[in-house]
Amino acid sequence: MPMNPDLEKERQGGTFDVEQLTHILDGGRDKTLKRHFLEQEVLKDPVFRGPDTRFLSREELFGELLRKHVAVIKKTQELSIDDINEASTIYSAAMNNNVGPLTLHSVAFVAPLDLMADDEQKKKWLIPAKKYEIIGCYAQTELGHGSFIRGLETRADYDVNTQQFVLNTPTETAIKWWVGGCVAVGDIGPKFGFGGVDNGYLCLNNVRIPRDNLLAKTGKVLEDGTYVKPENPKVVYGSMLGIRAALPKVGAYNLSKAVTIAIRYSCVRHQSEIKPGCGEPQVLDYQTQQHKLFPLLATAYAFHTVGVWMLDFHSTVMNEINEGHYHRLAEDHVLAAGLKAVINWKTHEGIEICRFSCGGHGYSLASSLPVIYVNHVANSTAEGETVILLLQTAVYLMKCVIDLEQGTPLDPSVAYLDQSFSKSEQWCSDVDMHSLLKAIQFRSKKFTEYVSSFVKKELMATGNQQLAFNKHKVILVECAKAHTEAVIMNAFVTKVDEILQSNPSVGKVLSLLCQIYGVTEILAHSGDYIQYEYLRKIDLDNIQDQLFKLYTYIRPEAVLLVDAFDFHDEVLKSILGRYDGQVYENMFKWAKASPFNKQDQGTFRKYIQQLKQAKL
Ligand SMILES: CCCCCCCCCCCCCCCCCCC/C=C/C(=O)SCCNC(=O)CCNC(=O)[C@H](O)C(C)(C)COP(=O)(O)OP(=O)(O)OC[C@H]1O[C@@H](n2cnc3c(N)ncnc32)[C@H](O)[C@@H]1OP(=O)(O)O
Ligand SMILES: Cc1cc2nc3c(=O)[nH]c(=O)nc-3n(C[C@H](O)[C@H](O)[C@H](O)COP(=O)(O)OP(=O)(O)OC[C@H]3O[C@@H](n4cnc5c(N)ncnc54)[C@H](O)[C@@H]3O)c2cc1C
């Protein structure tokens, strides 16, 4: 199919090599080539062809995705794929923006076995689980409790005579609920999205399991019932930590898809007139459209950068813990908590902005933006609700203030809290990314000190830390967000500095995105900068001008920047986001293919007929 002339023209501009940026995003040319190979292994294999999942009922969708997920597993076994990133490539190429039925087996059942099973248990369960000889799920949440783990009611009473645990969900609120991939007892019913996963309920009534079913790498129960505590009790939270550490990159992936669709479509879509008689411009030429999409384009790159960094950091900490060193577990936990919370929340807002920036067609499943949205938004609740996780990060920051007062060294990711910040010169409209980072770190430091003063005062008055925290939860959450933004900006600036050395043309365009991200973040909290007397109105006016100027620089690069995400059309599965931009012809073809247009109109006639018989 010929290329849409608008997109053809967009691809003749640009100042950087798209393929080199794709290699950087993938982690190197070899990784890109391997990803292409794996995608083609799926796209050329007829077993992965099937009905358009957007036309399927919930039951049909579950069945079709289960069929494809099994095919994904067989393909990874056939290709001897062990690497989770490579497995995810095959999975994403097959799932058409859905979450597959066996995802929880991989991310929430196999992972805890790897983390907390002793060698015997690994032989018994981890090896068969990795081969899918046993399929598992993660049944923690109950009807009455999800966030408050210490409030869970399920019981595991030890029967010393039989060396067994007797499991009970003693009350209705104790019923295990939301259990992804729980095909045993029952499904909790239709959901907002996540239609590919059968989230189940599980009632336990005197279910007996052997003592050695308790994963014993950390804590264990001896034959006489004595409980041997893990060296570090927090390790039992490790399986949640692992998924949280991975979710920032999942958020970046989903936002990159949405931005690709919205920016390509915004170049194909012509609407209204700027100069009468001069034809309808591309909607991406409107400043308002740029203001919707270019900060999100910058955000997708920022989130990808920090998502990769978080996974590396978490992997290092897990290796240290395997060697018995727990000193970075707390930092890992609060970084994963803050990044998972902020990135997934901002991503779900961003996907929605991408959807309505495509007008009516964004609302059609033909765009796939609704599919990406409803499957993504779960990540702001699942694996730790947004506020809950931000409070974890906030409590850690309050401890950092005390550490500072006591002269205790801070963890690297919060070292900036011990720095002094000053800004004397007036900002013009070309503030560099390092100055923007300093400003964002300054705000986080000031906010942390401000919130800490309130919490301390409350603590002095009540002597109860939980009460003190509970009274200031709103500003504690904002404090955690401010810190997390400093972590994101720091990762982005650090990566761009590195790329400026290795590939100046790519680095330059990424530095523009980094400035857009930083300026957008500062303008979103301009009041704080005035209140803390870090910026004046003239500074804010100048960086507002800078933002609009940056849009003009990014406009000719925009399509190339989303092309660099390198989503194959069959992976993106969006008619609005097609690489060739042939939207209208394919929208019409897709609509005509809808089963709804094929179904017998008898129903329609039957009821309308009643009206005709009535005396209207
Ligand atoms: C071949 C096929 C290929 C397949 C490839 C698959 C891969 C494809 C992936 C792509 C698609 C992915 C799509 C999305 C997948 C995601 C699916 C998600 C499914 C969802 C699952 C769930 O939701 S499971 C349940 C999750 N539940 C929660 O998160 C509960 C939240 N609540 C809590 O964590 C806790 O209650 C708490 C932390 C809020 C409170 O804990 P507690 O009551 O103990 O009190 P404290 O706050 O005082 O904490 C005590 C102490 O512990 C520290 N701590 C707390 N949590 C942790 C932790 N996680 N790690 C380390 N430390 C922790 C805390 O800081 C305190 O420390 P102190 O030093 O004492 O202060
Ligand atoms: C798609 C999806 C898949 C899931 N898969 C699984 C799974 O496979 N296995 C599993 O075990 N669970 C699963 N869950 C459950 C999930 O982990 C919980 O929904 C999540 O932890 C939130 O807990 P909750 O539902 O009890 O919400 P609640 O904690 O009841 O939250 C309700 C509101 O109360 C607020 N709140 C609660 N406590 C506090 C507090 N201390 N301070 C301030 N505000 C508070 C929250 O911020 C929120 O606004 C899944 C959930 C979803 C949506």
Side-chain angles (χ1 to χ4, degrees):
M1 194 167 270
M3 179 71 68
N4 170 288
D6 289 314
L7 285 186
E8 192 160 25
K9 182 164 139 282
E10 296 288 343
R11 288 175 175 134
Q12 281 151 11
T15 60
F16 68 96
D17 182 315
V18 174
E19 201 177 1
Q20 285 176 12
L21 180 49
T22 299
H23 294 164
I24 290 169
L25 291 170
D26 280 329
R29 181 172 178 276
D30 293 349
K31 296 263 176 68
T32 298
L33 295 177
K34 186 62 178 287
R35 177 172 57 80
H36 286 165
F37 165 74
L38 293 173
E39 283 173 355
Q40 282 308 313
E41 279 296 303
V42 171
L43 301 179
K44 74 184 185 187
D45 188 335
V47 78
F48 291 104
R49 286 193 207 111
D52 186 326
T53 51
R54 291 168 288 190
F55 292 130
L56 300 182
S57 69
R58 190 194 168 201
E59 290 70 19
E60 291 164 336
L61 177 69
F62 179 76
E64 174 62 5
L65 290 176
L66 189 56
R67 182 189 72 79
K68 282 184 161 182
H69 205 140
V70 168
V72 164
I73 292 162
K74 287 180 179 169
K75 182 61 78 176
T76 52
Q77 289 166 345
E78 175 198 316
L79 299 172
S80 310
I81 300 287
D82 272 335
D83 177 86
I84 185 67
N85 289 315
E86 293 181 0
S88 299
T89 296
I90 295 173
Y91 168 96
S92 303
M95 286 295 130
N96 303 146
N97 300 313
N98 292 285
V99 180
L102 299 172
T103 305
L104 271 296
H105 170 82
S106 301
V107 304
F109 178 68
V110 170
L113 287 175
D114 210 1
L115 191 69
M116 296 193 277
D118 64 20
D119 293 343
E120 271 314 298
Q121 291 170 328
K122 283 184 175 167
K123 278 195 211 112
K124 187 173 173 186
W125 292 310
L126 180 59
I127 292 170
K130 282 188 167 177
K131 292 181 195 163
Y132 294 86
E133 288 161 7
I134 53 174
I135 302 287
C137 52
Y138 186 83
Q140 175 179 290
T141 300
E142 297 172 352
L143 199 50
H145 286 96
S147 290
F148 185 49
I149 294 180
R150 278 186 286 130
L152 295 174
E153 298 171 80
T154 298
R155 294 190 58 79
D157 295 288
Y158 184 62
D159 179 344
V160 69
N161 301 318
T162 62
Q163 304 279 313
Q164 291 173 322
F165 289 106
V166 185
L167 301 185
N168 276 289
T169 49
T171 63
E172 198 168 65
T173 49
I175 294 174
K176 288 298 176 185
W177 205 262
W178 276 110
V179 184
C182 170
V183 296
V185 183
D187 181 87
I188 64 172
K191 309 181 288 280
F192 187 64
F194 246 69
V197 178
D198 52 334
N199 292 90
Y201 58 76
L202 176 66
C203 309
L204 297 163
N205 183 5
N206 288 320
V207 174
R208 287 179 167 267
I209 60 172
R211 175 175 65 91
D212 67 8
N213 276 26
L214 175 69
L215 299 182
K217 182 178 173 185
T218 51
K220 64 183 71 172
V221 170
L222 305 180
E223 286 185 16
D224 65 357
T226 309
Y227 176 52
V228 178
K229 275 190 173 178
E231 195 183 335
N232 184 318
K234 298 162 195 169
V235 177
V236 292
Y237 283 153
S239 41
M240 293 182 282
L241 176 51
I243 298 179
R244 290 173 193 158
L247 281 173
K249 195 158 176 265
V250 171
Y253 180 80
N254 292 334
L255 185 57
S256 305
K257 280 185 172 178
V259 159
T260 298
I261 295 165
I263 283 182
R264 283 181 180 164
Y265 178 65
S266 297
C267 289
V268 168
R269 185 71 169 177
H270 291 250
Q271 198 67 205
S272 316
E273 275 189 324
I274 296 181
K275 286 188 209 123
C278 293
E280 297 182 78
Q282 294 165 292
V283 293
L284 196 60
D285 288 336
Y286 290 122
Q287 188 187 53
T288 44
Q289 193 80 354
Q290 295 171 8
H291 195 49
K292 284 177 196 167
L293 296 178
F294 290 170
L296 291 177
L297 176 59
T299 300
Y301 272 92
F303 287 178
H304 175 87
T305 305
V306 77
V308 169
W309 175 84
M310 181 69 236
L311 277 171
D312 288 348
F313 183 87
H314 175 68
S315 161
T316 305
V317 172
M318 287 300 112
N319 292 335
E320 289 168 357
I321 286 172
N322 276 334
E323 287 154 21
H325 310 300
Y326 297 92
H327 61 295
R328 293 212 286 182
L329 176 58
E331 187 183 20
D332 189 24
H333 161 50
V334 296
L335 278 168
L339 289 170
K340 183 265 184 195
V342 166
I343 287 179
N344 282 289
W345 185 265
K346 286 178 81 172
T347 293
H348 102 228
E349 289 176 326
I351 297 169
E352 176 60 355
I353 291 168
C354 288
R355 180 191 66 76
F356 64 65
S357 70
C358 295
H361 298 335
Y363 192 71
S364 164
L365 294 193
S367 73
S368 274
L369 286 164
V371 181
I372 296 167
Y373 180 81
V374 294
N375 285 303
H376 172 80
V377 292
N379 297 339
S380 290
T381 305
E383 213 51 70
E385 196 275 335
T386 299
V387 164
I388 297 298
L389 296 184
L390 288 169
L391 288 169
Q392 288 291 302
T393 306
V395 167
Y396 167 83
L397 292 170
M398 294 302 106
K399 286 180 194 160
C400 291
V401 174
I402 296 166
D403 288 347
L404 273 173
E405 288 160 357
Q406 294 170 351
T408 309
L410 295 180
D411 291 325
S413 58
V414 282
Y416 71 88
L417 294 178
D418 195 16
Q419 287 170 14
S420 55
F421 294 87
S422 64
K423 186 190 102 28
S424 51
E425 78 296 341
Q426 178 175 305
W427 274 4
C428 299
S429 55
D430 60 354
V431 181
D432 69 283
M433 60 185 183
H434 296 93
S435 304
L436 297 170
L437 169 61
K438 286 274 170 254
I440 292 168
Q441 289 175 329
F442 164 82
R443 174 176 174 262
S444 175
K445 174 185 165 89
K446 290 302 282 184
F447 217 128
T448 302
E449 292 164 356
Y450 168 75
V451 171
S452 166
S453 67
F454 277 86
V455 170
K456 266 188 219 156
K457 209 183 310 174
E458 204 59 41
L459 198 53
M460 298 285 277
T462 63
N464 179 318
Q465 190 178 68
Q466 284 307 325
L467 272 181
F469 284 146
N470 200 46
K471 186 154 182 197
H472 299 292
K473 278 190 170 178
V474 172
I475 52 176
L476 278 164
V477 164
E478 290 311 310
C479 173
K481 285 181 188 173
H483 166 61
T484 304
E485 288 294 351
V487 170
I488 293 168
M489 187 67 178
N490 184 59
F492 200 7
V493 168
T494 304
K495 186 65 182 174
V496 172
D497 271 338
E498 185 191 300
I499 297 171
L500 279 166
Q501 299 307 313
S502 60
N503 191 322
S505 60
V506 169
K508 187 175 179 312
V509 73
L510 292 182
S511 72
L512 298 176
L513 291 180
C514 197
Q515 290 172 53
I516 289 177
Y517 189 85
V519 169
T520 303
E521 171 55 24
I522 290 167
L523 290 174
H525 303 286
S526 51
D528 293 338
Y529 290 97
I530 298 279
Q531 184 182 350
Y532 296 136
E533 297 175 343
Y534 190 85
L535 296 176
R536 287 151 299 191
K537 184 174 178 323
I538 183 66
D539 298 316
L540 293 167
D541 290 346
N542 286 337
I543 61 170
Q544 181 65 73
D545 292 343
Q546 176 172 351
L547 190 60
F548 294 143
K549 200 163 63 170
L550 286 164
Y551 291 168
T552 64
Y553 301 150
I554 287 296
R555 173 63 188 83
E557 316 274 11
V559 168
L560 299 167
L561 282 164
V562 298
D563 285 352
F565 292 134
D566 197 28
F567 289 114
H568 190 286
D569 277 356
E570 280 309 302
V571 175
L572 200 57
K573 214 73 182 165
S574 167
I575 291 172
L576 301 194
R578 287 171 62 96
Y579 185 85
D580 66 8
Q582 295 299 351
V583 171
Y584 298 132
E585 174 187 342
N586 286 288
M587 276 284 280
F588 190 34
K589 208 157 86 178
W590 182 82
K592 283 188 289 185
S594 162
F596 194 76
N597 288 326
K598 293 187 170 53
Q599 70 174 3
D600 165 27
Q601 294 306 317
T603 320
F604 181 77
R605 267 192 290 281
K606 177 178 145 197
Y607 292 108
I608 293 295
Q609 204 62 42
Q610 287 173 16
L611 287 176
K612 286 179 183 153
Q613 284 156 10
K615 293 277 174 279
L616 293 181

